[in-house]
Amino acid sequence: MQKGNIGVTTENIFPVIKKFLYSDHEIFLREMVSNAVDATQKIKTLADKGIFKGELGDLTVRVSLDEKNKTLTISDRGIGMTEEEIDKYINQIAFSGVNDFLNKYKDNANAIIGHFGLGFYSSFMVSNKVEIITKSYKEDAKAVKWTCDGSPAYEIEDAEKADRGSDIILHIDDDCKEFLEKARIQALLNKYCKFMPVPVAFGKKTEWKDGKQVETDKDNIINDVEPLWTKTPSTLKDEDYKKFYNELYPMQDEPLFWIHLNVDYPFNLTGILYFPRIKSNIDLQRNKIQLYCNQVFVTDQVEGIVPEFLTLLHGVIDSPDIPLNVSRSYLQSDSDVKKISTYITKKVADRLNSIFKENRKEYESKWDDLKLFINYGMLSQEDFYDRAKDFALLKDVDGKYFTFEEYKQLIKDGQTDKDGQLIYLYANNKEEEYSYIEAAKDKGYSVLLLDGQLDVPVVSMLEQKFEKSRFMRVDSDIIDRLIVKEDVKKTELDSDKADNLSAAFRSQMPKLNKVEFNIEVQALGENNMPVMITQSEYMRRMKDISRFQSGMSFYAQMPDSYSLVLNSDHQLIKNILDDETSKCNDALTPVISEIKGQQARLAALHQNQSKKKPEEITQEEKDDLSNTEKTLNEQREKKNQIIADYAKDNKIVHQLIDLALLQNGMLKGSALDAFIKRSVSLIK
């Protein structure tokens, strides 16, 4: 029997492994099974080269639990090890300076094993003793047993083993009892070993017999040794890809498209990326791409390898050029990873472009599902916009699809304003903005439907990309001011009448939470609506963008600002003005006269005092100015009160306000109830 100490620079390596790898301790099983698979692959290689001339036989790697004895065993029929090889590969851990090792990797437990070749030693994360019973494939090799109890001390002794290969027996620690549960081991094998290239068996298959699950004599093979991405694309059918997707993501909707990656220069990369049906909730879709290294699962957090917008995709990437234990710093600095990222972006863009060109009708039918993904790509990656601008689509309110260039050609003659700006009209909701859409259509304009989750930031992006172009929502102004072809027609009302009309409506506007109304009087033609509500394109867009962009939250806190536009050409507005004039004239005449008198006095006082230095103005003059301003404000309030008293009993004023609010989804609760009752009384 040989005894000795494992060749490390200090005796605290095992507490280090236990402590600093504990957060990721489940990966021990991946490491153990990977080692067994490697040993199996090596015997196959030796046989292919004629170095090993014996029978390969059953090469299945077996994982077995013994709950009674608290052991988990990983067995293979690979190349095995001689006593000298155990001493070389197991006892002499090639690293120095445990303290350096701790300082450098304490925040990245997953990187420790791969970096230091500690794959086997991950077993001590969950074990208080590990045994290796192994026999080399070499002729006349004898079986040996290596034992270590988690200290640097080990023992090697002769053992009985009929066949080549290795059995790694883990004596599971009391604080890791979960790894003695069959369901837990099954779940981990399914996660890490599902596609390993050598059959991996865990127990026996079961079947229902006499009302209970009974073990059969068939191995329960947990992996597919030839997953779809390892096969030649030309040998596969659509159904194969759909079936594999369902295997990866049970209960998911059928994917839209897929891309089969297969490249061997300047790096090795295979895989299948699927376009899932995504409409919203970006974050819920992340971590769906699985990264493998030679069919061994590494991670499903692929940021850094895959461009950010492509993390919305589902599927598998397999590359031996990416190490098993990926660290974020590695991803940020490695040139191969950057090449892979660029390659994947190009392949995705090429695939979308080819689908668009080969079958545009099918592409259009899937655009609503694809749109979020492509918009996210164009927003987050400049070079993807350059590729996508030829197959990104715009959809109008009638469901017709256009490329950017096609739509520009469609609207350039009819929707260019007097300053040469091309105006893209759009709606976010066909139903809520219906009357505004119809008004635009009546003018011969086209209206886009931009109802997607990222359409607000996309609009701002396209305004920067398109020359002399502006996007306007159809309800952001009256239709004649959305695309101004000539100077706006001024209202024919004199300022006093326009002011009185505005005051009547302003006094009856409801007090809504975080909403402000501005009243405008505009000559819009007798066939246009008497009253309309519009909302500033700029302010609404800033508030919408504040939901996506940090540092803009102050916009979200600002009240929504709307304009109530009164059409002075409409007969109903004329009737209200005539009625207001006849009923309020007697009361208003002396007040207006007083207002004009006080305004003239105030102007004279200002003019007089403007000629003096501040210190030359007497207190009496200051008081005179202050009293005049006070009297003027009192008279204005008196005037507004007279108009408000008139307007509060005018059902038509209330009806027009409520109609405008109703059109914009702003009439609710008791106000809606009052509107309905008033409507009934007006119809009688």
Side-chain angles (χ1 to χ4, degrees), residues 123-141:
S123 58
F124 286 97
M125 289 191 289
V126 298
S127 312
N128 53 38
K129 182 168 80 171
V130 177
E131 297 171 294
I132 304 174
I133 300 172
T134 184
K135 185 178 182 182
S136 173
Y137 73 94
K138 294 171 183 173
E139 285 185 35
D140 303 325

Side-chain angles (χ1 to χ4, degrees), residues 166 195 338 401 418 428 466:
S166 302
F195 300 111
K338 289 172 183 168
Y401 294 89
K418 65 186 181 72
N428 294 139
F466 295 171

Side-chain angles (χ1 to χ4, degrees), residues 18 22 25 70 124-128 171-180:
K18 198 92 167 175
Y22 195 77
H25 60 336
K70 297 183 181 179
F124 286 97
M125 289 191 289
V126 298
S127 312
N128 53 38
H171 294 261
I172 302 298
D173 220 335
D174 287 341
D175 60 0
C176 296
K177 286 179 181 174
E178 63 184 285
F179 299 113
L180 291 171

Side-chain angles (χ1 to χ4, degrees), residues 377-478:
M378 291 193 297
L379 285 166
S380 62
Q381 198 157 322
E382 184 75 26
D383 61 345
F384 187 73
Y385 172 83
D386 294 335
R387 296 179 189 278
K389 67 181 188 296
D390 295 327
F391 56 76
L393 299 180
L394 296 169
K395 181 171 81 166
D396 71 10
V397 290
D398 297 320
K400 294 176 185 170
Y401 294 89
F402 307 87
T403 63
F404 293 165
E405 184 59 31
E406 286 168 353
Y407 196 72
K408 177 184 174 183
Q409 296 304 318
L410 177 75
I411 65 170
K412 69 176 183 179
D413 292 334
Q415 292 179 213
T416 301
D417 69 10
K418 65 186 181 72
D419 299 319
Q421 287 268 334
L422 187 59
I423 309 300
Y424 290 74
L425 299 179
Y426 71 95
N428 294 139
N429 188 305
K430 269 179 24 176
E431 299 303 318
E432 291 177 7
E433 295 151 39
Y434 178 81
S435 58
Y436 297 94
I437 293 169
E438 290 304 302
K441 284 184 173 182
D442 288 344
K443 283 276 189 182
Y445 299 152
S446 172
V447 181
L448 294 169
L449 181 61
L450 300 179
D451 58 354
Q453 190 177 358
L454 293 177
D455 279 337
V456 172
V458 163
V459 159
S460 297
M461 176 194 71
L462 293 179
E463 282 181 333
Q464 294 175 16
K465 299 288 187 185
F466 295 171
E467 286 184 19
K468 293 193 75 174
S469 298
R470 197 165 76 250
F471 281 71
M472 300 284 286
R473 203 167 90 172
V474 284
D475 61 347
S476 61
D477 210 334
I478 57 176

Side-chain angles (χ1 to χ4, degrees), residues 181-324:
E181 297 170 11
K182 184 177 180 181
R184 179 77 167 118
I185 298 301
Q186 179 72 46
L188 288 180
L189 290 170
N190 192 52
K191 177 178 179 179
Y192 289 111
C193 310
K194 191 173 183 177
F195 300 111
M196 283 187 172
V198 169
V200 179
F202 179 51
K204 301 293 182 181
K205 285 189 179 293
T206 59
E207 63 183 22
W208 280 100
K209 198 169 185 181
D210 300 328
K212 59 181 179 179
Q213 287 276 13
V214 179
E215 277 195 357
T216 66
D217 57 357
K218 291 181 182 175
D219 285 334
N220 177 36
I221 304 295
I222 59 93
N223 59 321
D224 175 0
V225 297
E226 288 187 331
L228 208 66
W229 75 82
T230 64
K231 298 177 181 176
T232 307
S234 59
T235 65
L236 301 171
K237 297 177 181 174
D238 287 357
E239 290 311 309
D240 297 320
Y241 288 104
K242 291 174 185 176
K243 184 181 175 186
F244 184 60
Y245 184 79
N246 191 52
E247 201 178 310
L248 291 173
Y249 313 104
M251 310 302 290
Q252 289 276 345
D253 289 341
E254 196 174 276
L256 296 165
F257 311 118
W258 48 84
I259 299 171
H260 198 136
L261 304 167
N262 196 348
V263 63
D264 52 18
Y265 181 82
F267 45 80
N268 289 291
L269 177 74
T270 54
I272 301 168
L273 292 179
Y274 290 92
F275 294 78
R277 294 180 184 275
I278 49 174
K279 286 186 177 134
S280 62
N281 250 331
I282 293 174
D283 289 326
L284 292 179
Q285 304 294 333
R286 293 190 187 281
N287 299 339
K288 293 286 189 177
I289 294 180
Q290 299 173 9
L291 177 65
Y292 288 78
C293 175
N294 289 326
Q295 296 174 230
V296 179
F297 177 79
V298 179
T299 183
D300 57 8
Q301 296 178 347
V302 294
E303 293 88 349
I305 301 167
V306 172
E308 186 185 357
F309 76 98
L310 293 181
T311 58
L312 295 180
L313 296 185
H314 296 178
V316 170
I317 294 172
D318 190 333
S319 176
D321 294 329
I322 296 173
L324 257 185

